[in-house]
Amino acid sequence: GPCRPPAAAPPGRAPRPDTAAMADKLEVGMSLQARYSDGVFYPATVAAISDSKKRAKAPVKIHWPGYTDASDEWYSIDDLKSKRLPKPKAKAKA
């Protein structure tokens, strides 16, 4: 049969995109862009991905190439850009 990922929530109960599901599309070591504190997206790599509830808001640890691991930061999916991540959809007018 078709392989379906295990549903984290009962069907029909996910009004917002599931951050954990989005993080699943990323892999440690892959390149993406992360929004720095100045609001600009810079190239970065994925250092770690957490499925901890405590980290649900910022599940992806970013490493800045050329910097030490001390500069690594936890990021939310909203502040990351990758070909693997769906683009934020504009809210459709009902």
Side-chain angles (χ1 to χ4, degrees):
C3 351
R4 288 205 21 219
R13 276 206 43 212
R16 62 186 182 83
D18 188 359
T19 311
M22 303 257 261
D24 284 349
K25 294 184 165 56
L26 302 174
E27 290 164 26
V28 171
M30 71 177 274
S31 299
L32 41 59
Q33 291 182 304
R35 192 200 316 256
Y36 190 60
S37 49
D38 59 7
V40 179
F41 282 89
Y42 291 98
T45 57
V46 177
I49 297 168
S50 174
D51 51 11
S52 155
K53 289 267 189 289
K54 279 189 290 198
R55 288 236 177 266
K57 284 199 173 80
V60 184
K61 193 177 202 185
I62 289 306
H63 176 71
W64 304 106
Y67 289 82
T68 64
D69 293 351
S71 305
D72 293 2
E73 295 176 76
W74 289 97
Y75 267 78
S76 76
I77 296 291
D78 295 341
D79 288 328
L80 301 174
K81 271 203 257 188
S82 164
K83 293 187 185 76
R84 299 232 193 151
L85 292 172
K87 295 219 167 33
K89 289 192 180 70
K91 291 197 173 73
K93 294 197 174 80

